[in-house]
Amino acid sequence: MKKKIGIIGANGFLAQNLIKRLNKKNECYLLGKKKSNIYCDYNKIDEIKNVIKKFKFDSIINCVGYTNIDNVQIEKELCFKLNVIIVQNIVQAIKESNHKPFFIHFSTDHLYNKKGKSKEEKFQIINYYGLSKYYSEFFASQVKSIILRTNFFGYSYHKTKKSFSDWIISQLSSKKIINSFNDIYFSPLSFDTLTFIIELIISKKIPGIFNVGSNKGFSKDQFIKKLCKYKSFNKRLIKTKNSNNFFTVPRPRDMRMSIEKFEKAYKVRLPSLIDEIKSL
């Protein structure tokens, strides 16, 4: 039986990509002001409550978020509004509703900066973006919810917003040089695997804060070079660099995550990063 899913943040990068994939097995609705199936001003708690009451979603997925890390220092108010206030509004609406959908909230792997794979309790906040996402987790956890610390890549269905891998492929296809950092590590998942995970979550509804990423992550330099290899691009276009003094806003150096908690709870084995790249 298909589940009725509400996806908040209709015009956003994540929402546009999830609905294309989730709609194959579920009854999904985009909630927002633009490009939505259901108009909903998520700045207003009563509007969210009315939508929940009318449509009685099995689950609600929050895809609203501020992710422009380079501008976060000059847009702190906007960052806080999108990453924290809107989560507060959704949670308050769920609390006040008779029908209480399961809440799926996206956090970030930017909460990690220690060498090696970090467990959920070993977070280290180094910029305002990370702080705002940490605050969002506090509010999301006040209802029955799952909070996903994650990162993702793959083909984007959004008309203007592209993924990290889309950008790499576009640059190399156009024979443009890419700066590739050998001291920044991560362990992202493909959109397709992320979709599978969300379908699993919708089915089982085990709450908590979970790292959701690939096994055996590696540096962004390795990621770009392996993608270059499988796509048969010219590897001479890749310029390996160190990230020291490259970014104006501090960024984590090692965002690799321990994923054992999620694998044990949901009885699933997550793929390696090299397999995720091959799947493209």
Side-chain angles (χ1 to χ4, degrees), residues 186-247:
F186 70 153
S187 52
L189 287 170
S190 69
F191 275 130
D192 290 337
T193 299
L194 185 64
T195 302
F196 164 77
I197 287 168
I198 292 174
E199 288 172 342
L200 189 64
I201 289 167
I202 290 167
S203 174
K204 295 191 173 186
K205 294 185 177 63
I206 301 169
I209 297 174
F210 294 96
N211 292 335
V212 176
S214 54
N215 271 300
K216 301 177 181 177
F218 37 70
S219 71
K220 292 199 172 185
D221 182 58
Q222 290 173 292
F223 181 91
I224 292 171
K225 286 176 179 176
K226 290 181 187 298
L227 187 56
C228 176
K229 174 185 174 182
Y230 288 114
K231 290 287 186 181
S232 300
F233 291 126
N234 183 359
K235 64 181 181 180
R236 293 180 181 177
L237 294 169
I238 302 168
K239 304 300 179 184
T240 301
K241 293 181 179 292
N242 187 284
S243 66
N244 284 336
N245 303 317
F246 194 90
F247 299 107

Coordinates of all heavy atoms in Angstrom, one line a residue, residues 186-247:
F186 N 35.0 13.0 3.2 CA 33.6 12.9 3.4 C 33.1 11.5 2.9 O 33.9 10.7 2.4 CB 32.8 14.0 2.7 CG 32.8 13.9 1.1 CD1 31.7 14.5 0.4 CD2 33.8 13.4 0.4 CE1 31.7 14.5 -1.0 CE2 33.8 13.3 -1.0 CZ 32.7 13.9 -1.7
S187 N 31.8 11.2 3.2 CA 31.3 9.8 2.9 C 29.9 9.9 2.4 O 28.9 9.5 3.1 CB 31.5 8.9 4.0 OG 30.9 9.4 5.2
P188 N 29.6 10.6 1.3 CA 28.2 10.8 0.8 C 27.6 9.6 0.2 O 28.2 8.6 0.0 CB 28.4 11.9 -0.2 CG 29.8 11.6 -0.8 CD 30.6 11.1 0.3
L189 N 26.3 9.7 0.0 CA 25.5 8.7 -0.6 C 24.9 9.2 -1.9 O 24.8 10.4 -2.1 CB 24.3 8.2 0.2 CG 24.6 7.4 1.5 CD1 23.4 7.3 2.3 CD2 25.1 6.0 1.1
S190 N 24.6 8.3 -2.9 CA 23.9 8.7 -4.1 C 22.5 9.0 -3.8 O 21.9 8.5 -2.8 CB 24.0 7.6 -5.1 OG 23.2 6.5 -4.7
F191 N 21.8 9.8 -4.6 CA 20.4 10.1 -4.5 C 19.6 8.8 -4.5 O 18.6 8.7 -3.7 CB 19.9 11.0 -5.6 CG 20.1 12.4 -5.3 CD1 20.7 13.2 -6.3 CD2 19.7 13.0 -4.2 CE1 20.9 14.6 -6.1 CE2 19.9 14.4 -3.9 CZ 20.5 15.2 -4.9
D192 N 19.9 7.8 -5.3 CA 19.2 6.6 -5.4 C 19.2 5.8 -4.1 O 18.2 5.3 -3.6 CB 19.7 5.7 -6.6 CG 19.3 6.4 -7.9 OD1 18.4 7.2 -8.0 OD2 20.0 6.0 -8.9
T193 N 20.4 5.7 -3.5 CA 20.5 5.1 -2.2 C 19.8 5.8 -1.1 O 19.1 5.2 -0.2 CB 22.0 4.9 -1.8 OG1 22.6 4.1 -2.8 CG2 22.1 4.2 -0.5
L194 N 19.9 7.1 -1.1 CA 19.2 8.0 -0.2 C 17.7 7.7 -0.3 O 17.0 7.6 0.8 CB 19.5 9.4 -0.4 CG 18.9 10.4 0.7 CD1 19.5 10.2 2.0 CD2 19.2 11.9 0.2
T195 N 17.2 7.6 -1.5 CA 15.7 7.3 -1.7 C 15.4 6.0 -1.1 O 14.3 5.8 -0.4 CB 15.4 7.3 -3.2 OG1 15.8 8.6 -3.7 CG2 13.9 7.1 -3.4
F196 N 16.2 5.0 -1.3 CA 16.0 3.6 -0.7 C 15.9 3.7 0.8 O 15.0 3.1 1.4 CB 17.1 2.7 -1.2 CG 17.1 1.4 -0.4 CD1 16.2 0.4 -0.5 CD2 18.1 1.3 0.6 CE1 16.3 -0.8 0.3 CE2 18.2 0.1 1.4 CZ 17.3 -0.9 1.2
I197 N 16.8 4.5 1.4 CA 16.9 4.6 2.8 C 15.6 5.3 3.4 O 15.0 4.9 4.4 CB 18.1 5.4 3.2 CG1 19.4 4.6 3.0 CG2 18.0 5.9 4.7 CD1 20.7 5.3 3.1
I198 N 15.1 6.4 2.7 CA 13.9 7.0 3.1 C 12.7 6.1 3.0 O 11.9 6.1 3.9 CB 13.7 8.3 2.3 CG1 14.8 9.3 2.7 CG2 12.3 9.0 2.6 CD1 14.8 10.6 1.9
E199 N 12.6 5.3 2.0 CA 11.5 4.4 1.9 C 11.6 3.3 3.0 O 10.6 3.0 3.6 CB 11.6 3.7 0.5 CG 11.2 4.6 -0.6 CD 11.5 3.9 -2.0 OE1 12.2 2.9 -2.1 OE2 10.9 4.4 -3.0
L200 N 12.8 3.0 3.4 CA 13.0 2.0 4.5 C 12.5 2.7 5.8 O 11.9 2.1 6.7 CB 14.4 1.6 4.6 CG 14.8 0.5 5.6 CD1 14.1 -0.8 5.2 CD2 16.3 0.3 5.6
I201 N 12.9 4.0 6.0 CA 12.5 4.7 7.2 C 11.0 4.9 7.3 O 10.4 4.7 8.3 CB 13.2 6.1 7.2 CG1 14.7 6.0 7.4 CG2 12.6 7.1 8.2 CD1 15.5 7.2 7.1
I202 N 10.4 5.2 6.2 CA 8.9 5.4 6.1 C 8.2 4.1 6.5 O 7.2 4.1 7.2 CB 8.5 5.8 4.7 CG1 8.9 7.3 4.4 CG2 7.0 5.7 4.5 CD1 8.8 7.7 3.0
S203 N 8.8 3.0 6.1 CA 8.2 1.7 6.5 C 8.4 1.3 8.0 O 7.5 0.8 8.6 CB 8.9 0.6 5.6 OG 8.5 -0.7 6.0
K204 N 9.6 1.6 8.5 CA 9.9 1.1 9.9 C 9.7 2.2 11.0 O 9.4 1.8 12.1 CB 11.3 0.6 9.9 CG 11.6 -0.7 9.1 CD 12.9 -1.3 9.4 CE 13.1 -2.7 8.7 NZ 14.3 -3.4 9.0
K205 N 9.9 3.4 10.6 CA 9.7 4.5 11.5 C 10.4 4.4 12.9 O 9.9 4.6 13.9 CB 8.2 4.8 11.8 CG 7.5 5.2 10.5 CD 6.0 5.5 10.9 CE 5.3 6.1 9.6 NZ 5.2 5.1 8.6
I206 N 11.7 4.0 12.8 CA 12.5 4.0 14.0 C 13.1 5.3 14.3 O 13.9 5.8 13.5 CB 13.6 2.9 13.9 CG1 13.0 1.5 13.6 CG2 14.5 2.9 15.2 CD1 14.0 0.5 13.2
P207 N 12.8 6.0 15.4 CA 13.2 7.4 15.6 C 14.7 7.5 16.1 O 15.2 6.5 16.6 CB 12.2 7.9 16.6 CG 11.9 6.7 17.4 CD 11.9 5.5 16.4
G208 N 15.2 8.7 16.0 CA 16.6 8.9 16.6 C 17.4 9.8 15.7 O 17.0 10.2 14.6
I209 N 18.6 10.0 16.1 CA 19.6 10.7 15.3 C 20.6 9.7 14.7 O 21.2 8.9 15.5 CB 20.4 11.8 16.2 CG1 19.4 12.8 16.7 CG2 21.5 12.4 15.4 CD1 20.1 13.8 17.7
F210 N 20.7 9.7 13.4 CA 21.5 8.7 12.7 C 22.5 9.4 11.7 O 22.1 10.3 10.9 CB 20.7 7.7 12.0 CG 19.8 6.9 12.9 CD1 18.5 7.2 13.2 CD2 20.3 5.7 13.5 CE1 17.7 6.4 14.0 CE2 19.6 4.9 14.3 CZ 18.3 5.3 14.6
N211 N 23.7 8.8 11.7 CA 24.6 9.1 10.5 C 24.1 8.2 9.4 O 23.9 7.0 9.6 CB 26.0 8.7 10.9 CG 26.6 9.7 11.9 OD1 26.2 10.8 12.1 ND2 27.6 9.2 12.6
V212 N 24.0 8.8 8.2 CA 23.6 8.0 7.0 C 24.5 8.4 5.9 O 24.4 9.5 5.3 CB 22.1 8.3 6.6 CG1 21.8 7.6 5.3 CG2 21.2 7.8 7.7
G213 N 25.5 7.5 5.6 CA 26.5 7.8 4.6 C 27.0 6.5 4.0 O 26.5 5.4 4.3
S214 N 28.0 6.6 3.2 CA 28.6 5.5 2.5 C 29.7 4.9 3.4 O 30.3 5.6 4.2 CB 29.2 5.8 1.2 OG 30.1 6.9 1.3
N215 N 30.0 3.6 3.2 CA 31.2 3.0 3.9 C 32.4 3.5 3.2 O 32.4 3.8 2.0 CB 31.1 1.5 3.8 CG 30.3 0.9 4.9 OD1 30.7 1.0 6.1 ND2 29.2 0.2 4.6
K216 N 33.5 3.5 3.9 CA 34.8 3.8 3.3 C 34.9 5.1 2.5 O 35.2 5.1 1.3 CB 35.3 2.6 2.4 CG 35.4 1.3 3.2 CD 35.7 0.1 2.3 CE 35.8 -1.2 3.1 NZ 36.1 -2.4 2.3
G217 N 34.6 6.2 3.1 CA 34.7 7.5 2.5 C 36.1 7.8 2.2 O 37.0 7.2 2.7
F218 N 36.3 8.8 1.4 CA 37.7 9.3 1.1 C 37.7 10.8 0.8 O 36.6 11.5 0.9 CB 38.3 8.5 0.0 CG 37.4 8.0 -1.1 CD1 36.9 8.9 -2.0 CD2 37.1 6.7 -1.3 CE1 36.1 8.5 -3.1 CE2 36.3 6.3 -2.3 CZ 35.8 7.2 -3.2
S219 N 38.8 11.3 0.4 CA 39.0 12.8 0.1 C 38.2 13.2 -1.1 O 37.9 12.4 -2.0 CB 40.4 13.1 0.0 OG 40.9 12.7 -1.2
K220 N 37.9 14.5 -1.2 CA 37.2 15.0 -2.3 C 38.1 14.9 -3.6 O 37.6 14.7 -4.7 CB 36.8 16.5 -2.1 CG 35.7 16.6 -1.0 CD 35.0 17.9 -1.1 CE 33.8 17.8 -0.1 NZ 32.9 19.0 -0.2
D221 N 39.4 14.9 -3.4 CA 40.3 14.7 -4.5 C 40.2 13.3 -5.0 O 40.1 13.1 -6.3 CB 41.8 14.9 -4.0 CG 42.8 14.8 -5.1 OD1 42.7 15.5 -6.1 OD2 43.7 13.9 -5.0
Q222 N 40.1 12.3 -4.2 CA 39.9 10.9 -4.6 C 38.6 10.8 -5.3 O 38.4 10.1 -6.3 CB 40.0 10.0 -3.4 CG 41.4 9.8 -2.9 CD 41.4 9.0 -1.6 OE1 40.9 9.4 -0.6 NE2 42.0 7.8 -1.7
F223 N 37.5 11.4 -4.7 CA 36.2 11.3 -5.3 C 36.2 11.8 -6.7 O 35.7 11.2 -7.6 CB 35.2 12.2 -4.4 CG 33.8 12.2 -4.9 CD1 32.9 11.2 -4.4 CD2 33.3 13.1 -5.8 CE1 31.6 11.2 -4.8 CE2 32.0 13.1 -6.2 CZ 31.1 12.1 -5.7
I224 N 36.8 13.0 -6.9 CA 36.8 13.6 -8.3 C 37.6 12.8 -9.3 O 37.2 12.5 -10.4 CB 37.4 15.1 -8.2 CG1 36.4 16.0 -7.5 CG2 37.6 15.6 -9.6 CD1 36.9 17.3 -7.1
K225 N 38.7 12.3 -8.8 CA 39.6 11.4 -9.7 C 38.9 10.1 -10.1 O 39.0 9.6 -11.2 CB 40.9 11.2 -9.0 CG 41.8 12.5 -9.1 CD 43.1 12.3 -8.3 CE 44.0 13.5 -8.4 NZ 45.2 13.4 -7.7
K226 N 38.2 9.5 -9.1 CA 37.5 8.2 -9.4 C 36.3 8.5 -10.4 O 36.1 7.7 -11.3 CB 37.1 7.6 -8.1 CG 38.2 7.0 -7.3 CD 37.8 6.3 -6.0 CE 39.0 5.9 -5.2 NZ 39.9 5.0 -5.8
L227 N 35.6 9.6 -10.2 CA 34.5 9.9 -11.1 C 35.1 10.2 -12.5 O 34.5 9.8 -13.5 CB 33.8 11.1 -10.5 CG 32.5 11.5 -11.3 CD1 31.5 10.4 -11.3 CD2 31.9 12.8 -10.6
C228 N 36.2 10.9 -12.5 CA 36.9 11.2 -13.8 C 37.3 9.9 -14.5 O 37.1 9.7 -15.7 CB 38.1 12.0 -13.5 SG 39.1 12.4 -14.9
K229 N 37.8 8.9 -13.7 CA 38.2 7.6 -14.3 C 37.0 6.9 -14.9 O 37.1 6.4 -16.1 CB 38.8 6.8 -13.2 CG 39.1 5.4 -13.7 CD 39.7 4.5 -12.5 CE 39.8 3.1 -12.9 NZ 40.3 2.2 -11.8
Y230 N 35.9 6.8 -14.2 CA 34.7 6.0 -14.7 C 34.0 6.7 -15.8 O 33.3 6.1 -16.6 CB 33.8 5.7 -13.5 CG 34.3 4.7 -12.6 CD1 34.6 5.0 -11.3 CD2 34.6 3.4 -13.0 CE1 35.2 4.1 -10.4 CE2 35.1 2.4 -12.1 CZ 35.4 2.8 -10.9 OH 35.9 1.8 -10.0
K231 N 34.2 8.1 -15.9 CA 33.5 8.8 -17.0 C 34.5 9.1 -18.1 O 34.1 9.7 -19.1 CB 33.0 10.2 -16.4 CG 31.8 10.1 -15.5 CD 30.6 9.7 -16.2 CE 29.3 9.7 -15.4 NZ 28.1 9.3 -16.1
S232 N 35.7 8.6 -18.0 CA 36.8 8.8 -19.0 C 37.1 10.2 -19.4 O 37.2 10.6 -20.6 CB 36.3 8.0 -20.3 OG 36.2 6.6 -20.0
F233 N 37.1 11.1 -18.4 CA 37.5 12.4 -18.6 C 39.0 12.6 -18.5 O 39.7 11.7 -18.0 CB 36.9 13.4 -17.5 CG 35.4 13.5 -17.7 CD1 34.6 13.2 -16.6 CD2 34.8 13.9 -18.8 CE1 33.2 13.4 -16.7 CE2 33.4 14.0 -19.0 CZ 32.6 13.8 -17.9
N234 N 39.5 13.7 -18.9 CA 41.0 14.0 -18.9 C 41.4 14.4 -17.5 O 41.0 15.4 -17.0 CB 41.3 15.2 -19.9 CG 42.8 15.5 -19.9 OD1 43.6 14.9 -19.3 ND2 43.1 16.5 -20.8
K235 N 42.2 13.5 -16.9 CA 42.6 13.7 -15.5 C 43.5 14.9 -15.3 O 43.7 15.4 -14.2 CB 43.2 12.5 -14.9 CG 44.5 12.0 -15.6 CD 45.0 10.8 -14.9 CE 46.3 10.3 -15.6 NZ 46.9 9.1 -15.0
R236 N 44.1 15.4 -16.4 CA 45.0 16.6 -16.3 C 44.2 17.8 -15.9 O 44.8 18.8 -15.6 CB 45.7 16.7 -17.6 CG 46.7 15.6 -17.9 CD 47.5 15.8 -19.2 NE 48.4 14.7 -19.5 CZ 49.1 14.6 -20.6 NH1 49.0 15.6 -21.5 NH2 49.9 13.6 -20.8
L237 N 42.9 17.8 -16.1 CA 42.1 19.0 -15.7 C 41.9 19.1 -14.2 O 41.5 20.1 -13.7 CB 40.7 18.8 -16.3 CG 40.7 18.9 -17.9 CD1 39.3 18.5 -18.4 CD2 41.0 20.3 -18.4
I238 N 42.3 18.1 -13.4 CA 42.2 18.1 -12.0 C 43.5 18.6 -11.3 O 44.5 18.0 -11.5 CB 41.8 16.6 -11.5 CG1 40.6 16.1 -12.2 CG2 41.7 16.6 -10.0 CD1 40.3 14.7 -11.9
K239 N 43.3 19.6 -10.6 CA 44.5 20.2 -9.9 C 44.4 20.0 -8.4 O 43.6 20.6 -7.7 CB 44.6 21.7 -10.2 CG 44.6 22.1 -11.7 CD 45.8 21.5 -12.4 CE 45.9 21.8 -13.8 NZ 47.0 21.1 -14.5
T240 N 45.2 19.1 -7.9 CA 45.1 18.7 -6.5 C 45.7 19.8 -5.6 O 46.8 20.3 -5.9 CB 45.9 17.4 -6.2 OG1 45.3 16.4 -7.0 CG2 45.8 17.0 -4.7
K241 N 44.9 20.2 -4.6 CA 45.3 21.3 -3.7 C 45.0 21.0 -2.2 O 44.3 20.1 -1.9 CB 44.6 22.6 -4.1 CG 45.0 23.2 -5.4 CD 44.2 24.4 -5.7 CE 44.6 25.0 -7.1 NZ 46.0 25.5 -7.1
N242 N 45.7 21.8 -1.4 CA 45.3 21.8 0.1 C 44.4 22.9 0.3 O 44.5 24.0 -0.3 CB 46.6 22.0 0.9 CG 46.4 21.8 2.4 OD1 45.9 22.7 3.0 ND2 46.8 20.6 2.9
S243 N 43.4 22.7 1.2 CA 42.4 23.7 1.4 C 42.8 24.9 2.4 O 42.0 25.8 2.6 CB 41.1 23.0 2.0 OG 41.3 22.5 3.3
N244 N 44.0 24.8 2.9 CA 44.4 25.9 3.8 C 44.3 27.2 3.1 O 44.8 27.4 2.0 CB 45.9 25.7 4.2 CG 46.0 24.6 5.3 OD1 45.1 24.3 6.0 ND2 47.2 23.9 5.3
N245 N 43.7 28.2 3.8 CA 43.5 29.6 3.3 C 42.7 29.7 2.1 O 42.7 30.7 1.4 CB 44.9 30.2 3.1 CG 45.7 30.2 4.4 OD1 45.3 30.5 5.5 ND2 47.0 29.9 4.2
F246 N 42.0 28.6 1.7 CA 41.2 28.7 0.4 C 39.8 29.2 0.7 O 39.2 29.9 -0.1 CB 41.1 27.3 -0.2 CG 40.6 27.3 -1.6 CD1 41.5 27.4 -2.7 CD2 39.3 27.2 -1.9 CE1 41.1 27.5 -4.0 CE2 38.8 27.2 -3.2 CZ 39.7 27.4 -4.3
F247 N 39.2 28.9 1.9 CA 37.8 29.3 2.2 C 37.8 30.4 3.2 O 38.7 30.4 4.1 CB 37.0 28.1 2.7 CG 36.9 27.0 1.7 CD1 37.6 25.8 1.9 CD2 36.1 27.1 0.6 CE1 37.5 24.7 1.0 CE2 36.0 26.0 -0.3 CZ 36.7 24.9 -0.1

